[in-house]
Amino acid sequence: MRVLIFGVDGLSFRVLNPMMQAGHLPNFQALARDGVESVLESKFPPFTPPAWTSIVTGVKPAKHGVYDFWEYDEHGRDQLVTGRKAGKAIWNVASDYGRRVLVLNVPLTYPPEPVNGIFVSGFPGARETADFTYPRAFRDELFAHAPGYQVDIDKDALRRGGEKSHAEQAVLVTESRLALMRYLLREKEWDFAFVVYRLADHLQHKRWPEVTAMCPEELRYYQLLDQALGEAREAVGPDGHLFVVSDHGFQGTRAIFALNEYLYRRHWLHSERDRRRGRQLTEALVKATFKRMGIIYPVRVAKRRVRHWLQLKQHHPHTDDRAKMRMAPYLTREEQLAAGVSMPSW
């Protein structure tokens, strides 16, 4: 008997049900008709890192040690969290009992774990250029059967306003993931498989109105998910068990609640920077406008280049400015923290 857990990051009945009712997701419809469905309770905080890690271990964040994408020491230095601190995952237990396992793209699973089978790490931390598979030799086999495989979308290209949209990138990444899943399920021996498709969460963060309106470009991604579900169900067979799970739900919002601004207006928050509030509010409005226009990244880079150029002119008036203006095209983590930017849960 085979068991397969089919995970979709951030998937919600708010998205699934309208698409099923419109006839766009026949495999999800068939599973809902033939099986059972329920709203699962996420963990606290209901966030990708702790929630997925609780799903795979069955323990709370206090036990497995994952609360966020980042952890900080007493001096404020940050470190990216790429895996759990404690607790056995379900694939470890299955391996201990001699079952053959397949693990594909589960978040917070880098570096890859030794298992009785094949393990392909998920984001964050894992990179196609690194050793992200177990056994290590499987990496070459992976690219032979899933050319162009990516652990995650190219976020830098999206920030720079690359040629491919969010939905187009999501489809390309998912097509290669589907090709790898198909190869593993059909060609390898296995008793237990855990596969996660993560980019529903990304699309819903970035394109919620288009997702809920079932625009063709975004709908294509969910139809690809439906195809993957159908192939997973076929691989499990009539005597196996298939579970579709998500780490948390999703819903849209029409407004942003600025907590510090609320506290300030209630006279419950005071700051030495009160005199600069007018300027700060203007800057916040301009920043929000640039974000809506999709040009916040190039504006931020241009601002940094101008500031750097002015500093060079002040301290080195006779130096070749062009040679001094070589800068990284992204903010360092320290600069992100200073600017109040946190890592997105993509």
Side-chain angles (χ1 to χ4, degrees), residues 86-97:
K88 274 192 171 184
I90 187 171
W91 47 77
N92 301 134
V93 177
S95 294
D96 289 346
Y97 279 89

Side-chain angles (χ1 to χ4, degrees), residues 9 35 56 63 72 84 100 107 134 150 158-159 162-163 168 175 185 203 210 214 248 276 281 287 329 341:
D9 197 291
V56 304
K63 293 282 188 180
Y72 305 88
R84 65 186 185 280
R100 298 285 297 179
Y134 178 88
Q150 294 176 235
L158 289 171
R159 294 188 185 108
E163 295 179 0
E168 288 171 331
E175 285 175 338
L185 296 183
L203 278 184
E210 290 78 9
M214 292 183 271
H248 55 74
R276 293 181 286 173
L281 290 173
K287 183 178 179 181
V341 179

Side-chain angles (χ1 to χ4, degrees), residues 187-345:
E187 303 299 330
K188 301 297 181 180
E189 294 183 11
W190 62 279
D191 305 296
F192 171 82
F194 200 129
V195 182
V196 172
Y197 289 85
R198 205 189 62 79
L199 295 179
D201 181 275
H202 173 79
L203 278 184
Q204 290 161 194
H205 271 294
K206 299 297 180 180
R207 306 284 290 173
W208 179 257
E210 290 78 9
V211 168
T212 53
M214 292 183 271
C215 293
E217 197 173 59
E218 284 69 29
L219 182 60
R220 169 64 183 142
Y221 170 78
Y222 293 90
Q223 291 174 318
L224 200 57
L225 272 187
D226 188 74
Q227 179 184 343
L229 176 62
E231 296 194 23
R233 192 178 186 191
E234 180 182 353
V236 168
D239 298 324
H241 295 292
L242 173 63
F243 300 89
V244 178
V245 300
S246 185
D247 54 335
H248 55 74
F250 227 95
Q251 67 180 41
T253 180
R254 296 183 179 178
I256 297 175
F257 179 68
L259 179 58
N260 284 349
E261 180 65 19
Y262 173 80
L263 295 174
Y264 182 88
R265 293 185 183 187
R266 303 281 295 194
H267 305 291
W268 293 339
L269 177 67
H270 300 278
S271 169
E272 295 178 357
R273 296 176 294 178
D274 287 354
R275 292 173 299 175
R276 293 181 286 173
R277 273 182 49 76
R279 174 185 171 185
Q280 291 170 344
L281 290 173
T282 301
E283 289 179 349
L285 179 62
V286 171
K287 183 178 179 181
T289 302
F290 286 155
K291 279 187 175 181
R292 284 195 298 269
M293 295 171 64
I295 61 172
I296 186 67
Y297 179 80
V299 168
R300 186 179 291 155
V301 171
K303 180 180 177 182
R304 291 181 64 227
R305 288 184 179 276
V306 169
R307 183 183 300 158
H308 186 65
W309 180 80
L310 291 174
Q311 290 173 348
L312 289 174
K313 291 292 288 184
Q314 180 179 359
H315 295 101
H316 305 283
H318 303 297
T319 303
D320 182 2
D321 295 328
R322 290 173 297 179
K324 294 287 187 178
M325 288 179 62
R326 294 174 183 169
M327 302 175 60
Y330 56 86
L331 294 179
T332 65
R333 181 59 183 160
E334 291 74 17
E335 290 169 328
Q336 292 179 36
L337 291 171
V341 179
S342 180
M343 180 178 179
S345 56

Side-chain angles (χ1 to χ4, degrees), residues 15-126:
V15 173
L16 274 183
N17 286 338
M19 291 184 180
M20 287 193 291
Q21 291 166 6
H24 295 305
L25 307 178
N27 290 301
F28 277 99
Q29 282 179 285
L31 189 64
R33 181 186 65 244
D34 300 337
V36 295
E37 66 179 44
S38 179
V39 176
L40 299 178
E41 179 181 346
S42 189
K43 302 310 294 180
F44 186 82
F47 192 37
T48 292
W52 275 118
T53 311
S54 288
I55 288 175
V56 304
T57 60
V59 299
K60 298 178 180 179
K63 293 282 188 180
H64 60 61
V66 176
Y67 297 92
D68 199 344
F69 284 109
W70 298 92
E71 60 183 6
Y72 305 88
D73 62 20
E74 62 273 16
H75 303 293
R77 291 188 293 262
D78 62 273
Q79 180 175 336
L80 182 66
V81 178
T82 64
R84 65 186 185 280
K85 309 298 180 182
K88 274 192 171 184
I90 187 171
W91 47 77
N92 301 134
V93 177
S95 294
D96 289 346
Y97 279 89
R99 304 299 185 186
R100 298 285 297 179
V101 305
L102 303 173
V103 182
L104 174 58
N105 203 50
V106 180
L108 280 290
T109 55
Y110 182 78
E113 302 177 31
V115 294
N116 184 31
I118 294 173
F119 195 106
V120 181
S121 292
F123 104 119

